[in-house]
Amino acid sequence: MALVVQKYGGSSVASADHMKRVAERIVAAKKNGDDVVVVVSAMGDSTDELLDLASQITDDPPGRELDMLLTAGERISMALLAIAISTHGYEARSFTGSQAGVITTGSHGKARIIDVTPGRLRSALDDGSIVIVAGFQGVSQDTKDITTLGRGGSDTTAVAVAAALDADVCEIYTDVDGVFTADPRIVPNARRLDTITYEEMLELAASGAKVLMLRCVEYARRYGIPVHVRSSYSQLPGTIVAGSMEDLPVEQAIITGVAHDRSEGKITVYGVPDRPGEAAQIFRVLADAEINIDMIVQNVSAEASKLADISFTLPVSDGPTALAALEKVKHTVGYSDVRFDQHIGKVSLVGAGMRSHPGVSARFFGALADAGVNLELISTSEIRISVVCRDTDVDVAVRAVHDAFELGSDEVEAVVYGGTGR
Amino acid sequence: MALVVQKYGGSSVASADHMKRVAERIVAAKKNGDDVVVVVSAMGDSTDELLDLASQITDDPPGRELDMLLTAGERISMALLAIAISTHGYEARSFTGSQAGVITTGSHGKARIIDVTPGRLRSALDDGSIVIVAGFQGVSQDTKDITTLGRGGSDTTAVAVAAALDADVCEIYTDVDGVFTADPRIVPNARRLDTITYEEMLELAASGAKVLMLRCVEYARRYGIPVHVRSSYSQLPGTIVAGSMEDLPVEQAIITGVAHDRSEGKITVYGVPDRPGEAAQIFRVLADAEINIDMIVQNVSAEASKLADISFTLPVSDGPTALAALEKVKHTVGYSDVRFDQHIGKVSLVGAGMRSHPGVSARFFGALADAGVNLELISTSEIRISVVCRDTDVDVAVRAVHDAFELGSDEVEAVVYGGTGR
């Protein structure tokens, strides 16, 4: 008998009929002899509807109350799911994040899980119940106020609960059949991966792959929880995220996949005096404004002028805040100009095998050059190469790289079901 | 500086615009120098919408999960109300029933408040915050599960929170301008009462007046909390429920008002053997089925037959359960037949002064006789006379009694705004 944590996103529980279908899948696992804990998101668009209600009152609601409002969404879905399970003759008990012992920081709207104290969940499991837990929410350690975790929070809840209960596996049910070598909407013959290591999944998530959020994968790696990404619309095998790349067999494929990201923008600061500390001053003020910088490049200055240009990428939504922060230090830093470019895209190649295989970079850049893609920024890690290009070049670049490394399948494997959870 | 508890029903917070209006009223009280605690119901029809979602899954949801579902309603309204208050520059903090320390029995859907431990509310008030509390909900003492209080629950929450905080007054904002001598929809010149004692209000509530629920008035009397019934749509003075009839001045009006109730039905059990214990057996089985009996009458049996007929009234919704319970004891009791009449109405005259004024009954029955109303059952208490008649005779009976005791005003005082809260 295993302990299984299953997580269903908002599109999987968007209506009463969806609830019934998900309930059947949960009951099937229970009938199979497993203990089952389910983490569930708010129904379909219900979070947006709650946000819309708040926006009818003000554009600037207090974080504590916005979190109180939004957590009603999972409360509704988890209770309905428990009701749907009860029609099969099984008892299901739903628990809010607070009741489930999901302890977080006090940062409303983007709280981080500090600990999970699953006493009530354990008791309910001991009683033979199926346990339902509200995703995306917790309770702050200091103030006992209700918090939300931010984007992808329900996945993180699922992995954190799985870790706290020492579960055998955390199954993430989503609207794709698993993790693919590229986004199947761009590369129709993208291949589903049977397994992927935590490190590779981290790099893919950090590079824009949306199937799992970065924080969820970090949590899974830290606690060694196998994550099984599966479709809630099919019985296909999905992808297992587990294991370290240190343990990979030598015959492992060199390259795991190609990720892309259109959610970043690029800021370039022109004419920065090329003296020690000027760049530090710029990045200090951005850090103080809580801007997450991704890639950075500094153009070597012309010897004569002693001026440099510094470019960096950041979430497009952080652009206005970053520009305001930079404006404040314009005179102390003494730069000449700053520009914000929202039309960039990032393409990344990820693979544990590239550590030990020379020539990956050459083939990667060769493929992009042959496809006529102009590169604006480049960054690398041990198992990743990323480039920034025009956003209109992203599709071409992804296909070119995917082809160059022969990542595709002979047939179309992916079904894209549409919809996103949180 | 006073501590004021204000309660707003669902119709008062039915939309974002309603929220803004209520927020203004709350902020006005705060500006006036008072500490303010607000108890709020779910928005408009939102409870019915949640019930509808559940009914799309099953007609028989588990009580624990139905309560979890329904309590999302107040969570949404209280958070939005706090957000609306924040736009005025005042801090408002919302608390669920559980967070507010509303401890209840474990009877889902009809829990009773056992105690209120308002530590978090007190802290928030000490910090200068306006406090918002979810009405209608609590947490069970034994299982820590979320509970709901049943009909009128938000009023009871308000009075219980007021008692726990030793508030100066509990203001119940509703869709009428106060407590009237009769339902203004039936008696257009019904007069608003400036004050009414707890005992009279209890009798009116028990007799079908819907402005306050019985349990709320009981709670207020027990803890001596003045309840101020006011309209959330006007600035009119409303009605103060306070004081004991023992303290009434002698010149107090004899009669307080006329109440009516169309929500009851009548069951008559025919041919009950006129032996000691037979009636007891009937009412034992009804009590075991948790049926609330209101009025009872037993027709004296004809000497020869030694058989009696027993009639009693009960909530119409309890009728089927009562009939099923009676069917089980048909043979042991040995009655001949049972009939359920759903077309009755109850008309009651309430007044503390009737204790010391003879002739009230005579004038009451005279007025009904003159109006041609046929009486089926009669019951009395120290300060109330009630009769059961055909439901079609209720309006005529209420007007006749109201006129006979000259309860009306010279002009039309009431505005009926429509809508009901919970």
Side-chain angles (χ1 to χ4, degrees):
Chain A
M1 192 180 77
L3 172 54
V4 178
V5 174
Q6 300 187 335
K7 180 260 171 179
Y8 294 92
S11 59
S12 303
V13 291
S15 70
D17 283 340
H18 284 76
M19 293 275 180
K20 291 180 193 171
R21 214 178 312 146
V22 166
E24 282 169 17
R25 196 183 272 264
I26 294 165
V27 167
K30 179 75 180 169
K31 279 185 179 160
N32 192 35
D34 292 335
D35 278 339
V36 186
V37 176
V38 178
V39 174
V40 68
S41 302
M43 294 173 74
D45 300 327
S46 63
T47 301
D48 289 337
E49 289 163 15
L50 292 172
L51 282 170
D52 180 58
L53 270 174
S55 72
Q56 289 174 34
I57 295 173
T58 174
D59 291 333
D60 185 28
R64 180 191 188 277
E65 300 304 322
L66 193 62
D67 278 358
M68 186 67 92
L69 177 69
L70 294 183
T71 48
E74 292 84 32
R75 193 181 193 87
I76 292 168
S77 61
M78 73 184 192
L80 289 172
L81 189 54
I83 289 170
I85 289 169
S86 76
T87 65
H88 293 272
Y90 286 86
E91 193 198 30
R93 286 186 221 166
S94 65
F95 295 92
T96 65
S98 173
Q99 291 176 331
V102 180
I103 317 290
T104 73
T105 62
S107 186
H108 288 291
K110 50 183 178 181
R112 283 175 163 273
I113 295 175
I114 296 170
D115 195 11
V116 178
T117 53
R120 291 183 70 175
L121 308 188
R122 185 76 73 187
S123 298
L125 288 171
D126 289 347
D127 291 346
S129 277
I130 294 169
V131 167
I132 319 281
V133 176
F136 184 66
Q137 57 177 248
V139 61
S140 78
Q141 190 169 41
D142 297 334
T143 62
K144 311 296 176 212
D145 286 332
I146 302 304
T147 53
T148 65
L149 305 180
R151 268 184 62 82
S154 290
D155 288 358
T156 310
T157 301
V159 172
V161 165
L165 290 170
D166 198 20
D168 295 280
V169 65
C170 179
E171 300 178 343
I172 305 281
Y173 287 89
T174 181
D175 51 5
V176 292
D177 288 328
V179 182
F180 283 76
T181 51
D183 185 337
R185 282 167 291 201
I186 295 179
V187 184
N189 75 333
R191 192 166 42 77
R192 182 184 55 76
L193 300 165
D194 286 324
T195 62
I196 182 172
T197 64
Y198 294 120
E199 291 93 337
E200 291 165 307
M201 193 65 235
L202 278 176
E203 292 284 6
L204 282 178
S207 303
K210 297 202 172 47
V211 60
L212 286 178
M213 296 299 289
L214 189 61
R215 212 187 292 175
C216 155
V217 186
E218 284 172 343
Y219 217 106
R221 179 169 70 161
R222 193 188 322 155
Y223 292 95
I225 299 295
V227 175
H228 191 174
V229 180
R230 305 182 64 178
S231 164
S232 57
Y233 300 89
S234 79
Q235 296 290 342
L236 294 172
T239 300
I240 307 268
V241 185
S244 165
M245 63 183 189
E246 306 305 330
D247 308 324
L248 286 179
V250 285
E251 68 272 24
Q252 173 78 11
I254 301 168
I255 298 300
T256 308
V258 185
H260 70 281
D261 190 350
R262 273 185 255 254
S263 71
E264 295 195 344
K266 182 178 72 168
I267 286 181
T268 303
V269 186
Y270 293 95
V272 180
D274 194 8
R275 291 188 301 264
E278 297 296 340
Q281 202 179 335
I282 285 175
F283 291 109
R284 162 72 51 208
V285 73
L286 293 169
D288 289 347
E290 296 193 21
I291 308 287
N292 280 315
I293 302 295
D294 180 19
M295 296 163 73
I296 301 174
V297 72
Q298 175 168 351
N299 297 343
V300 177
S301 60
E303 282 284 328
S305 69
K306 290 285 183 190
L307 295 175
D309 301 337
I310 296 176
S311 293
F312 57 89
T313 63
L314 75 177
V316 163
S317 55
D318 283 348
T321 311
L323 292 176
L326 289 171
E327 186 61 36
K328 277 194 227 157
V329 294
K330 178 162 187 183
H331 292 295
T332 50
V333 172
Y335 64 81
S336 61
D337 197 8
V338 61
R339 280 188 216 153
F340 180 36
D341 181 353
Q342 304 190 39
H343 298 289
I344 63 162
K346 187 170 73 168
V347 175
S348 302
L349 185 72
V350 172
M354 70 171 71
R355 287 177 302 165
S356 49
H357 285 73
V360 168
S361 301
R363 206 198 299 188
F364 178 71
F365 292 117
L368 292 172
D370 290 348
V373 175
N374 190 36
L375 308 185
E376 304 183 15
L377 297 174
I378 299 168
S379 84
T380 62
S381 80
E382 196 184 18
I383 62 168
R384 176 184 51 80
I385 314 173
S386 298
V387 297
V388 164
C389 60
R390 288 294 86 197
D391 57 358
T392 46
D393 281 347
V394 166
D395 288 9
V396 168
V398 169
R399 281 187 214 111
V401 172
H402 198 265
D403 282 352
F405 287 91
E406 296 171 355
L407 298 175
S409 169
D410 294 337
E411 53 197 75
V412 173
E413 291 189 358
V415 180
V416 178
Y417 303 93
T420 54
R422 73 174 182 191
Chain B
M1 193 178 81
L3 173 54
V4 178
V5 174
Q6 300 187 335
K7 180 262 172 177
Y8 294 92
S11 59
S12 302
V13 291
S15 71
D17 283 339
H18 283 76
M19 293 274 180
K20 291 180 194 171
R21 215 178 310 148
V22 167
E24 283 170 16
R25 196 183 273 264
I26 293 165
V27 167
K30 180 74 180 169
K31 280 186 178 159
N32 193 35
D34 292 336
D35 278 341
V36 186
V37 176
V38 178
V39 174
V40 68
S41 301
M43 294 172 73
D45 300 328
S46 63
T47 301
D48 289 337
E49 289 164 15
L50 291 172
L51 283 170
D52 180 58
L53 270 174
S55 72
Q56 288 175 34
I57 295 172
T58 175
D59 292 332
D60 185 27
R64 180 191 189 279
E65 299 305 323
L66 193 62
D67 277 357
M68 186 66 93
L69 178 69
L70 294 183
T71 48
E74 291 84 31
R75 192 181 194 86
I76 292 169
S77 61
M78 72 182 191
L80 289 172
L81 190 54
I83 289 170
I85 290 169
S86 76
T87 65
H88 294 270
Y90 286 85
E91 194 199 31
R93 286 187 221 165
S94 64
F95 295 91
T96 64
S98 173
Q99 291 176 330
V102 180
I103 315 292
T104 74
T105 61
S107 186
H108 287 292
K110 50 181 179 183
R112 285 177 163 270
I113 295 176
I114 296 171
D115 194 11
V116 179
T117 52
R120 292 183 70 174
L121 308 189
R122 186 76 74 186
S123 298
L125 289 172
D126 289 345
D127 292 346
S129 277
I130 294 169
V131 167
I132 319 280
V133 176
F136 183 67
Q137 56 178 248
V139 60
S140 79
Q141 190 169 42
D142 297 334
T143 62
K144 309 297 176 212
D145 285 332
I146 302 305
T147 53
T148 64
L149 305 180
R151 268 184 62 82
S154 289
D155 288 358
T156 309
T157 301
V159 171
V161 165
L165 290 171
D166 198 20
D168 294 278
V169 65
C170 179
E171 299 178 343
I172 306 282
Y173 287 89
T174 179
D175 52 5
V176 292
D177 289 327
V179 182
F180 282 77
T181 51
D183 185 335
R185 281 167 294 202
I186 295 179
V187 183
N189 74 334
R191 193 166 42 79
R192 183 184 54 75
L193 300 166
D194 286 326
T195 62
I196 182 171
T197 63
Y198 294 121
E199 291 92 335
E200 291 165 306
M201 193 66 234
L202 278 175
E203 291 285 5
L204 283 178
S207 303
K210 297 202 170 48
V211 60
L212 286 178
M213 296 301 289
L214 189 61
R215 213 189 289 176
C216 156
V217 185
E218 285 173 341
Y219 217 105
R221 178 168 73 159
R222 195 189 319 157
Y223 292 96
I225 299 293
V227 176
H228 190 173
V229 181
R230 305 182 62 179
S231 165
S232 57
Y233 299 90
S234 78
Q235 295 290 343
L236 293 173
T239 300
I240 306 266
V241 185
S244 166
M245 62 182 189
E246 305 306 330
D247 306 324
L248 285 179
V250 285
E251 68 272 26
Q252 173 76 12
I254 300 167
I255 297 301
T256 308
V258 185
H260 69 279
D261 190 350
R262 274 185 254 256
S263 71
E264 296 195 342
K266 182 178 72 168
I267 286 181
T268 303
V269 187
Y270 294 94
V272 181
D274 193 9
R275 291 187 302 263
E278 296 296 341
Q281 201 179 337
I282 284 175
F283 291 109
R284 163 71 50 209
V285 73
L286 292 170
D288 289 347
E290 296 192 22
I291 308 286
N292 280 314
I293 303 296
D294 180 19
M295 297 162 71
I296 302 174
V297 72
Q298 176 167 348
N299 297 344
V300 177
S301 60
E303 284 284 330
S305 69
K306 291 283 186 192
L307 295 176
D309 301 338
I310 296 176
S311 293
F312 58 89
T313 63
L314 75 175
V316 163
S317 54
D318 283 349
T321 312
L323 292 176
L326 288 171
E327 187 60 37
K328 278 194 227 155
V329 294
K330 179 162 186 181
H331 292 294
T332 50
V333 172
Y335 65 82
S336 61
D337 198 8
V338 62
R339 278 186 218 158
F340 180 36
D341 181 353
Q342 303 189 42
H343 297 289
I344 63 162
K346 187 171 73 166
V347 175
S348 302
L349 186 71
V350 172
M354 72 171 69
R355 289 176 301 164
S356 50
H357 285 72
V360 168
S361 300
R363 207 198 299 188
F364 179 72
F365 291 120
L368 292 171
D370 290 348
V373 175
N374 191 36
L375 308 185
E376 305 184 14
L377 297 175
I378 298 169
S379 84
T380 62
S381 81
E382 195 185 16
I383 62 168
R384 178 184 49 81
I385 314 173
S386 298
V387 296
V388 164
C389 60
R390 289 293 89 198
D391 56 358
T392 46
D393 281 346
V394 166
D395 288 9
V396 168
V398 169
R399 280 189 214 112
V401 173
H402 197 266
D403 283 351
F405 287 91
E406 297 170 358
L407 298 176
S409 169
D410 293 338
E411 52 198 74
V412 173
E413 291 188 358
V415 181
V416 178
Y417 304 92
T420 54
R422 74 172 182 191

